Amino acid sequence: MMAYEMKSSTSVTSRGDGQVERDNAHLQRMGKKPVLKRNFGILSILGFSCTILGTWEGLLGTFTGPLTNGGSGGAIYAYIFGWVGCFANFMVLSELASMAPTAGGQYHWAAMLAPARLQKFLSFITGWFAVLGWQSAFAACAFLTGKMIQGAAILGNNLYNALPWQGTLIVWGSLSLALVVNLLGGNLLPRIEAVVLVVHILGFFGIIIPLTYMADHNTKEQVFLSFQNGGGFATQGLSWFVGMTSCAFAFAGGDAAVHMSEEVANASTVIPNALMISVGINGCLGFGMIIVMMFCTDADLGGTLGKATGYNFMGIFMEATNSVSGSLTMCAIVITIYVCSLMGLLAAASRQLWSFSRDRGVPGWRLWSQVSSTKQLPIFAIILTVTIAVLLSLINIGSNTAMEDIVSMAVSGIYLSYLTVSVLLFYRRVRGDISRYNDNEDNIVNVPGAKLVWGPFHCPGIIGTVINGYAVIYVSIVVFFSFWPSTMHPSVETMNWSILAIGGSVFLAIIYYAVRARHIYKGPIIEVSL
């Protein structure tokens, strides 16, 4: 059964750019009408991918997780496990992005790979996993950014009494900046992302050099052979897996560049290259950061100042440098990258929402799927994404712990969408259903019911199958343990409620599907005829 809905034919937009014409022709062969402007090149989309991943910055933000459950040695080995698993997962995402570089990403891939009887439902649920994950990720990043700015204020002035409502106002200020940058459109965001890539790399050295030079160092036995079960779990291994999810969070968001595919020149090649290069760059920087932090961290993890600011790395910076101005400068590097990541997250989350709305997957799809004819941007989807984050940030006033569960919800939602498409690709791969070449480039490909064709980026043979299989195993482990609390006997305050949030949201999505969406959602709609 083909999920085809024929609309008016459109010709390839000609802007005097042969590459743009080829990109638009490729998009049309997947049944989609080119409506967004291709402003991103390889450098800007690489910066976009690297800074949203922000692995070493993410490790600093969640530093206590792998230490509490795993210890110093456990954290290092958990990071290596996560890096290898992330490489396999990114390989799968790169292959799929090369086959079908659309803003929809996972739900489009699920529809094109799933068996005919399941394609509509699996595509719909995968789309909702991605919507929940990306909307939560954007809100979580805004929350972490606001909390980090408050922490820096405490570091600079210990008399400052940080109140939750003040943190929410800071979050709103950060969201406003991200909104303005995204609504201005043009080449502003791509240029910012190219610059932030430089800050992302140089900032890493701006932090590890002072730490390595000025801090007291632990022994190699303390760093590599120290394990801890701070959550009181039955075994050290179980504790390690629970702490490992913090390292997985540092690699979350690998599909961000995918959702910008319709704004990237030569997307079927550039997007996979950007994904694989970014996992290489971020993996190396993150590994360097975790090694340095383990050698330079005392047992008190930043002491009183670390607890007061809410971020142990701020206390560690102060203990190492013994300088408020020096510590604030190092913190400013991290905060700057978090703020800039917020701009990219808004772009990725809004494009994913817009694309799913374009295919009638969310309530109010007629409004959210509109694109400005002057700016060539999905303005209503951008505004809705910011509005959701503004409303979620109000949770911070009542409960800081509940807001932290939004972070777990982001990891769970995004990785569940990864899991679905990884399993489906493995299924198709083993069956040999994907052709190496497209014999007739005039036909629509890589949509439900149409021919499946590998893109330019492809890992062939048994190696590709093994990597795909390992990605399924790794993502399954991450999803399972992302729902666990950090202690064996959690209280109401320390319980991880993300399972309830994800489960409840998916339950509501299924009800919406049964009542309404199954009548209007057909999977990726064919908007053009060839």
Side-chain angles (χ1 to χ4, degrees), residues 25-47:
H26 188 191
L27 186 61
Q28 288 177 318
R29 282 196 294 275
M30 291 182 291
K32 292 302 181 185
K33 185 187 301 182
V35 294
L36 303 180
K37 190 175 182 180
R38 296 186 184 272
N39 291 316
F40 284 84
I42 179 61
L43 183 62
S44 54
I45 201 64
L46 177 60

Side-chain angles (χ1 to χ4, degrees), residues 282-461:
N282 278 272
C284 292
L285 297 182
F287 186 69
M289 181 59 70
I290 199 169
I291 292 293
V292 168
M293 291 296 287
M294 294 309 165
F295 269 104
C296 299
T297 301
D298 291 334
D300 62 356
L301 298 177
T304 304
L305 188 56
K307 294 182 177 62
T309 59
Y311 287 95
N312 297 88
F313 75 85
M314 293 186 178
I316 294 169
F317 289 174
M318 186 63 189
E319 289 179 348
T321 63
N322 198 28
S323 167
V324 173
S325 58
S327 300
L328 285 174
T329 301
M330 295 163 71
C331 291
I333 295 172
V334 181
I335 293 172
T336 298
I337 297 173
Y338 265 80
V339 171
C340 293
S341 294
L342 201 59
M343 301 173 190
L345 277 166
L346 174 55
S350 62
R351 299 320 188 268
Q352 194 279 330
L353 176 64
W354 163 76
S355 183
F356 200 37
S357 301
R358 175 177 60 176
D359 290 317
R360 306 179 181 181
V362 297
W365 57 268
R366 288 183 178 87
L367 180 60
W368 319 129
S369 62
Q370 292 183 25
V371 175
S372 169
S373 59
T374 55
K375 290 186 174 294
Q376 295 179 281
L377 291 171
I379 291 178
F380 290 111
I382 293 173
I383 293 174
L384 176 62
T385 300
V386 172
T387 302
I388 292 172
V390 166
L391 295 177
L392 286 176
S393 66
L394 293 173
I395 298 174
N396 182 51
I397 298 176
S399 173
N400 184 65
T401 303
M403 197 64 211
E404 290 175 351
D405 286 339
I406 299 295
V407 178
S408 295
M409 187 174 172
V411 174
S412 304
I414 291 175
Y415 273 87
L416 278 168
S417 70
Y418 294 166
L419 180 60
T420 305
V421 296
S422 296
V423 170
L424 290 173
L425 180 63
F426 187 78
Y427 164 76
R428 289 290 194 175
R429 190 175 224 134
V430 171
R431 283 169 50 95
D433 292 338
I434 308 176
S435 301
R436 186 65 187 92
Y437 302 101
N438 183 15
D439 299 328
N440 189 350
E441 293 193 354
D442 291 332
N443 290 337
I444 289 176
V445 297
N446 293 336
V447 295
K451 182 178 182 179
L452 295 175
V453 181
W454 288 113
F457 186 96
H458 170 48
C459 185

Side-chain angles (χ1 to χ4, degrees), residues 45-59 79 83 86 90 197 200-201 204 250-252 254 274-290 337 341:
I45 201 64
L46 177 60
F48 184 91
S49 182
C50 279
T51 53
I52 286 186
L53 271 180
T55 303
W56 68 262
E57 301 92 338
L59 285 172
Y79 180 85
W83 190 6
C86 181
F90 271 49
L197 176 61
H200 173 66
I201 296 173
F204 166 79
F251 284 109
L275 291 179
M276 298 312 298
I277 294 172
S278 65
V279 77
I281 292 175
N282 278 272
C284 292
L285 297 182
F287 186 69
M289 181 59 70
I290 199 169
I337 297 173
S341 294

Side-chain angles (χ1 to χ4, degrees), residues 64-304:
T64 57
L67 284 179
T68 302
N69 288 299
S72 177
I76 292 173
Y77 304 128
Y79 180 85
I80 295 172
F81 175 73
W83 190 6
V84 174
C86 181
F87 171 83
N89 185 47
F90 271 49
M91 182 69 75
V92 170
L93 295 179
S94 296
E95 289 183 315
L96 290 168
S98 187
M99 290 175 66
T102 73
Q106 291 93 309
Y107 81 84
H108 182 109
W109 303 334
M112 77 180 191
L113 295 171
R117 68 184 186 280
L118 298 174
Q119 65 184 29
K120 188 166 73 169
F121 179 73
L122 284 179
S123 173
F124 180 80
I125 291 300
T126 303
W128 271 99
F129 282 147
V131 166
L132 293 172
W134 274 104
Q135 296 297 320
S136 299
F138 178 60
C141 183
F143 163 67
L144 294 173
T145 302
K147 187 179 176 183
M148 203 172 288
I149 292 173
Q150 270 196 310
I154 295 172
L155 178 62
N157 180 9
N158 56 12
L159 298 179
Y160 169 56
N161 181 25
L163 300 175
W165 66 267
Q166 295 171 338
T168 298
L169 289 179
I170 296 173
V171 169
W172 289 357
S174 302
L175 290 172
S176 299
L177 177 61
L179 178 63
V180 170
V181 169
N182 274 264
L183 289 182
L184 286 176
N187 290 319
L188 180 59
L189 183 59
R191 288 172 178 169
I192 289 175
E193 295 299 338
V195 172
V196 176
L197 176 61
V198 178
V199 177
H200 173 66
I201 296 173
L202 295 183
F204 166 79
F205 293 101
I207 288 177
I208 66 164
I209 291 174
L211 273 180
T212 304
Y213 180 74
M214 304 180 73
D216 295 330
H217 296 166
N218 297 317
T219 65
K220 61 180 182 294
E221 288 78 15
Q222 290 175 309
V223 171
F224 294 104
L225 300 178
S226 174
F227 299 91
Q228 185 175 338
N229 184 358
F233 291 96
T235 65
Q236 179 65 51
L238 185 59
S239 175
W240 181 84
F241 274 109
V242 173
M244 179 272 301
T245 57
S246 295
C247 296
F249 171 74
F251 284 109
D255 59 312
V258 170
H259 302 302
M260 305 300 292
S261 293
E262 296 176 37
E263 297 167 66
V264 176
N266 194 17
S268 61
T269 299
V270 167
I271 295 295
N273 288 340
L275 291 179
M276 298 312 298
I277 294 172
S278 65
V279 77
I281 292 175
N282 278 272
C284 292
L285 297 182
F287 186 69
M289 181 59 70
I290 199 169
I291 292 293
V292 168
M293 291 296 287
M294 294 309 165
F295 269 104
C296 299
T297 301
D298 291 334
D300 62 356
L301 298 177
T304 304

